[in-house]
Amino acid sequence: MNCALIDLHLHIDGSLNIRWMYERALLRGIIPEDTSFSDYYDRLFPAKESGIAIFDKFDVPLAVMQCQEDIHDACYTLVKELAEEGLLYAELRFGPQLHTRNGLTQEEALIAALEGIHDAMCNYPSIRVNLLNAFMHAGDSAKANEKENLETLYLTEKYLGQGVAGLDLAGYENNCDLNEYASLFQLAREKDIPFTIHAGEMGNGENVLKAIDMGAKRLGHGIFAIQDPSYIKAILDNDVTLEICVTSNRSFGFTYATHPIRQLMDKGIKVTVNTDDGMFDLNNLAYEHFVLKKIGFSEEELLQCTMNAVDAAFLSEKEKNELRQKIIKPVSMLQ
Ligand SMILES: [Zn+2]
């Protein structure tokens, strides 16, 4: 049985096809024409001693996603690959404000992403994809890009149900107090925009409480909830689902063997299995399921994770039921 069918936590800029990105960087003159693929590849995986911060590596994919054609093609290529991997549904993170360096507006960037996804879904109809627009952490205060985040909010409202399913807050979680974003999420609630929040990924379990207080029903990662029983209780009391990315979480102190996904699940928390940044983590959803099997997850437990993802997806009940119908069939019966 293949349960690796739904990914609720995948960043477009962290999940590009590296060969495509390299060729586009050459075409645009972003890298010197004598740059070898091997040299370009090495820039994605800087050695620890280089001192390059973990989030600076996103400059490599973002450099080639600054015009509509490239954003379109990046999204098209990604969705095509996800369809070929057998995914039925994915929610892809996209930060429109990260694509305005060369003059695009956030809306132009968003439209290009939506069109790329739409075109891929037309050619690969086995997959369905929605975007989650991401607010971004920037600087050491939410004030630093408050205007840009508000624009993202209003764009999300405008395109909700037209390929956009909700919001997220992404970037370096510990830049500032998560509560500084409370007014943004209050606005999202007033506008009935579904949202998830990266919280409890980078060592700060208290952010789990803060994100839940803001109304999040899903958390990006949330793994540091393991630090305190009160964080676990808040997740359970508020019926919050965790978007867990086991391979990615190795960046913040875990190994496959020490990852708390098993403990969280055994406490009754709804966990899901996701990739995060396949280009940087060198993974895909099937690999995440493979790893979990290696550390003792049964097929039934993995199926439960997939069903948790359906339940937590930012879809209508009708759409969820359609997905459930496909999942309970043996893979051999899927078209
Ligand atoms: Zn993430």
Side-chain angles (χ1 to χ4, degrees):
M1 187 190 293
N2 172 19
C3 296
L5 300 169
I6 297 180
D7 196 329
L8 295 183
H9 191 126
L10 183 160
H11 298 263
I12 293 175
D13 55 3
S15 307
L16 301 186
N17 178 292
I18 300 176
R19 178 64 69 173
W20 174 87
M21 193 169 69
Y22 166 69
E23 289 171 0
R24 198 56 62 103
L26 282 176
L27 181 72
R28 300 290 183 215
I30 293 165
I31 51 176
E33 60 185 29
D34 59 352
T35 306
S36 68
F37 180 69
S38 155
D39 286 346
Y40 185 75
Y41 189 92
D42 288 344
R43 292 176 57 193
L44 293 171
F45 305 99
K48 278 203 171 62
E49 57 270 22
S50 71
I52 294 176
I54 191 162
F55 282 95
D56 288 350
K57 64 188 181 185
F58 282 87
D59 280 339
V60 179
L62 288 173
V64 292
M65 293 179 73
Q66 297 298 332
C67 69
Q68 284 191 304
E69 185 182 3
D70 291 351
I71 296 170
H72 172 284
D73 292 354
C75 293
Y76 182 96
T77 305
L78 172 61
V79 172
K80 168 182 177 288
E81 290 181 345
L82 296 177
E84 288 171 346
E85 288 169 19
L87 268 71
L88 294 176
Y89 180 65
E91 290 181 359
L92 311 185
R93 263 75 170 175
F94 182 70
Q97 65 192 271
L98 301 175
H99 304 273
T100 58
R101 293 178 188 172
N102 292 350
L104 284 184
T105 64
Q106 286 199 37
E107 185 163 20
E108 288 167 342
L110 175 60
I111 288 170
L114 289 172
E115 289 182 352
I117 290 167
H118 173 267
D119 291 348
M121 286 197 295
C122 286
N123 287 338
Y124 301 89
S126 59
I127 190 168
R128 172 116 203 274
V129 172
N130 275 311
L131 274 188
L132 302 184
N133 282 333
F135 297 140
M136 297 306 302
H137 288 279
D140 56 7
S141 160
K143 291 274 177 222
N145 63 335
E146 188 177 40
K147 190 167 136 288
E148 289 80 2
N149 280 337
L150 267 174
E151 186 178 345
T152 300
L153 175 83
Y154 291 120
L155 268 182
T156 304
E157 181 183 25
K158 182 173 176 181
Y159 289 89
L160 196 65
Q162 301 173 61
V164 177
L167 280 163
D168 180 26
L169 168 61
Y172 188 58
E173 182 188 333
N174 296 331
N175 264 12
C176 63
D177 188 332
L178 203 62
N179 282 338
E180 291 189 30
Y181 297 90
S183 59
L184 272 175
F185 286 107
Q186 177 60 33
L187 264 177
R189 288 168 74 172
E190 288 167 11
K191 295 175 182 300
D192 284 329
I193 300 172
F195 59 84
T196 175
I197 301 177
H198 277 73
E201 177 190 9
M202 303 179 185
N204 185 343
E206 195 186 359
N207 278 346
V208 166
L209 289 186
K210 292 177 180 177
I212 291 172
D213 282 348
M214 290 181 210
K217 289 293 180 190
R218 276 169 39 187
L219 298 180
H221 308 282
I223 47 176
F224 279 91
I226 206 71
Q227 286 174 336
D228 192 289
S230 67
Y231 307 157
I232 302 288
K233 184 172 185 313
I235 291 172
L236 291 170
D237 287 352
N238 290 279
D239 196 23
V240 169
T241 299
L242 301 188
E243 306 157 2
I244 288 184
C245 314
V246 174
T247 297
S248 169
N249 294 151
R250 293 179 308 160
S251 299
F252 295 97
F254 294 106
T255 65
Y256 289 126
T258 63
H259 195 284
I261 184 170
R262 164 65 68 187
Q263 292 164 266
L264 294 164
M265 195 172 72
D266 286 350
K267 290 176 190 299
I269 291 175
K270 294 174 185 168
V271 301
T272 61
V273 182
N274 310 278
T275 54
D276 211 8
D277 297 299
M279 177 172 67
F280 293 118
D281 296 323
L282 297 173
N283 65 340
N284 61 19
L285 198 57
Y287 179 76
E288 292 302 293
H289 281 246
F290 167 78
V291 161
L292 286 167
K293 272 189 221 169
K294 284 279 181 200
I295 60 173
F297 276 62
S298 66
E299 293 280 5
E300 290 70 25
E301 287 170 330
L302 290 173
L303 178 61
Q304 186 57 54
C305 292
T306 300
M307 299 311 273
N308 290 344
V310 179
D311 293 343
F314 294 151
L315 291 169
S316 68
E317 271 311 309
K318 179 172 176 289
E319 292 166 318
K320 290 181 187 184
N321 279 331
E322 287 168 4
L323 266 182
R324 289 183 186 110
Q325 295 291 324
K326 292 179 182 172
I327 289 167
I328 56 177
K329 287 180 190 168
V331 169
S332 58
M333 289 176 63
L334 294 176
Q335 58 176 0

